[in-house]
Amino acid sequence: MKPPSRTPLATVLSTCVLVLALAVTASALTALAGRAAPATAAAGPGRRWVNTWTGMPQLTEPANLPPAPYTGERAVLVDTTLRQTVRVTAGGPRIRLRFSNAYGDTPLPLTAVTVALPRDGRAGVSAVEPGTLRRVTFAGRDSTTVPVGAQMVSDPLDFQLRAGSELTVTAYTARGQASLALTSHPGSRTTSYLTHGDHTRDQDLPGATAVDHWYLLSDVEVLAARRTEAVALVGDSLTDGRGSTTNGNDRWPDQFYDRLHGDAATSDIAVLNQAAGGNRVLDDGLGPNVLARLDRDVLSRSGVAWLILFEGVNDIGTADATPEAQRAVTEDLIAGYRQIVVRAHAQGIRVYGATLTPFGGSTLYDDPAGEREAARQRVNAWIRTPGHFDAVLDFDRAVRDPEAPDRLRPALHAGDWLHLDPEGYGVLAAAVPAGLFRHTS
């Protein structure tokens, strides 16, 4: 009988190495899956991230920079706590913040950030409700640096938000931004507060400097029910709220939101105000033109299903009051509108066009020969023509004076024959058919 064969030592060692390698590979894959799971499953079953508040980023003009001593010769917000409130339009159990350095030419260091509910749920207050203050982290750390031209998204935070409520966001930057190129949204119509030192965990900021601007913060996202969707509003000062009440949340987007949330069928729709005073469709003004900012402000926002476009008055009003210039701006505006529709449709977003409201009597834009009014009429005729937009919102008809259709109704404007007062903005909000916002999925 032959003795049993022996396996060569080399073969045994090779087998052991192979088994060990497979075990290590399996362990590595398990670890990777474990690390990826929180990010992948962050939304959880039946939920998704949706933008609940936005403030269109702009380069801060010198007049809108923080007052001294928060702005120096070569830096801004050094050793400064900034506390600001924003009104969210969709609710949920978790939130994320986005900070923007879109117009900074140096990195933006954020040393500490907290969130809380404001005292008594009010807009524009410096105090927060006791027991609601929470620390915000970035990749597990208290601090982060936003690169030049970039944005930074916070870690998800368990923080219950109710739709229509106010959120307080407090940020401290020890070193500040080492230039005066600060990213902000000046037309906040909401009071913010500045004070030296790190007061991110304080319940109130007595003696803080009040400013009616938003700085650095560009978005709040909420983990919402899967069916929650957003409507983005692209516009100029009429949508940004010039003439509305500071801390009153009575811009037309706010009043439109109130209407939507008064109806059970549309109560879970978020409203994103992506407007800025002086903005134009074709050329840069206060902020980049719409054709340049469409991807950033609409197409990349979480959960957007609809776009309302209400912009063009500044394009007409800043073009020369000659027949040639006004014919050209009319043609260019229409071509720009077509581009916006095509690009939004490619992302499955329905686009509703709003007719341009009158500016007769405005010292800024009215002209004796009526060339700009003729251009407005031509643009509105195109907007009203079926097939160009998915639906038309006739804001012109809603607020114009029946006796003088080139002018706003006297009781609705803010004194300049161009912007509306809160009552006028309520008329615009009422002119948007809620039936246009039925869920797309």
Side-chain angles (χ1 to χ4, degrees):
M1 188 161 106
K2 291 172 59 177
S5 61
R6 298 183 176 225
T7 303
L9 180 59
T11 303
V12 173
L13 290 174
S14 297
T15 302
C16 290
V17 169
L18 177 59
V19 171
L20 179 61
L22 289 172
V24 170
T25 301
S27 298
L29 289 173
T30 302
L32 284 173
R35 286 199 297 270
T40 304
R47 292 190 176 274
R48 67 168 177 168
W49 290 103
V50 176
N51 269 84
T52 184
W53 173 86
T54 55
M56 177 191 146
Q58 298 172 237
L59 175 63
T60 311
E61 297 176 285
N64 291 325
L65 284 167
Y70 305 103
T71 296
E73 292 185 4
R74 297 182 181 85
V76 63
L77 299 179
V78 175
D79 185 32
T80 298
T81 291
L82 164 67
R83 177 165 286 179
Q84 41 202 354
T85 63
V86 298
R87 188 193 195 199
V88 302
T89 57
R94 305 188 87 191
I95 64 172
R96 298 190 303 207
L97 308 180
R98 291 177 184 258
F99 288 88
S100 176
N101 194 20
Y103 298 98
D105 53 15
T106 60
L108 169 64
L110 298 173
T111 310
V113 177
T114 61
V115 295
L117 298 179
R119 179 70 58 83
D120 299 324
R122 294 166 52 206
V125 297
S126 63
V128 300
E129 286 290 343
T132 66
L133 197 143
R134 297 290 307 280
R135 177 175 66 105
V136 176
T137 60
F138 302 83
R141 299 173 297 180
D142 288 339
S143 62
T144 191
T145 297
V146 189
V148 172
Q151 64 173 300
M152 196 64 70
V153 185
S154 75
D155 297 333
L157 173 67
D158 291 335
F159 192 92
Q160 185 70 48
L161 270 183
R162 179 176 52 82
S165 64
E166 293 284 336
L167 175 69
T168 296
V169 179
T170 309
Y172 172 65
T173 174
R175 290 179 290 146
Q177 187 150 20
S179 81
L180 302 187
L182 184 68
T183 301
S184 71
H185 189 86
S188 66
R189 276 84 203 181
T190 306
T191 305
S192 302
Y193 297 88
L194 300 165
T195 188
H196 279 315
D198 183 357
H199 298 278
T200 53
R201 296 175 181 270
D202 291 8
Q203 290 193 10
D204 202 354
L205 304 179
T209 300
V211 291
D212 291 338
H213 308 299
W214 284 314
Y215 298 107
L216 312 183
L217 184 68
S218 63
D219 300 85
V220 178
E221 292 177 291
V222 66
L223 189 60
R226 177 67 61 179
R227 72 192 303 270
T228 303
E229 295 175 301
V231 50
L233 316 181
V234 170
D236 48 38
S237 56
L238 286 160
T239 301
D240 205 27
R242 176 76 177 269
S244 64
T245 308
T246 299
N247 300 319
N249 289 325
D250 53 16
R251 315 163 188 83
W252 81 260
D254 295 296
Q255 298 188 59
F256 168 55
Y257 163 81
D258 292 337
R259 280 191 58 225
L260 287 179
H261 283 249
D263 183 342
T266 54
S267 62
D268 56 357
I269 292 175
V271 177
L272 310 180
N273 189 344
Q274 293 286 41
N279 199 239
R280 292 184 286 185
V281 173
L282 304 170
D283 296 308
D284 291 353
L286 296 182
N289 65 79
V290 173
L291 295 178
R293 69 184 180 93
L294 186 68
D295 288 277
R296 182 195 73 182
D297 293 345
V298 178
L299 306 187
S300 66
R301 298 302 87 191
S302 306
V304 173
W306 304 276
L307 163 62
I308 294 177
L309 178 63
F310 177 37
E311 190 157 349
V313 163
N314 291 324
D315 296 84
I316 293 171
T318 56
D320 290 341
T322 65
E324 297 77 17
Q326 290 301 312
R327 278 196 298 271
V329 76
T330 297
E331 294 171 0
D332 290 345
L333 264 179
I334 290 171
Y337 292 157
R338 290 184 186 275
Q339 284 289 308
I340 293 165
V341 171
V342 166
R343 289 165 60 187
H345 280 177
Q347 301 298 319
I349 298 172
R350 296 178 65 82
V351 186
Y352 302 152
T355 53
L356 305 182
T357 50
F359 46 75
S362 164
T363 57
L364 281 177
Y365 291 160
D366 197 7
D367 66 284
E371 296 295 344
R372 293 185 177 121
E373 170 61 15
R376 186 183 73 90
Q377 294 289 355
R378 289 193 296 270
V379 169
N380 280 350
W382 186 87
I383 292 173
R384 291 186 179 105
T385 301
H388 293 152
F389 289 98
D390 295 303
V392 175
L393 314 179
D394 206 338
F395 284 177
D396 169 44
R397 184 183 300 276
V399 297
R400 72 190 182 198
D401 186 345
E403 303 301 320
D406 66 328
R407 292 180 175 239
L408 296 167
R409 283 155 54 187
L412 299 183
H413 74 86
D416 60 2
W417 295 98
L418 176 61
H419 299 98
L420 297 165
D421 60 16
E423 182 183 355
Y425 287 133
V427 173
L428 290 189
V432 184
L436 294 175
F437 302 93
R438 300 305 179 194
H439 285 287
T440 60
S441 58

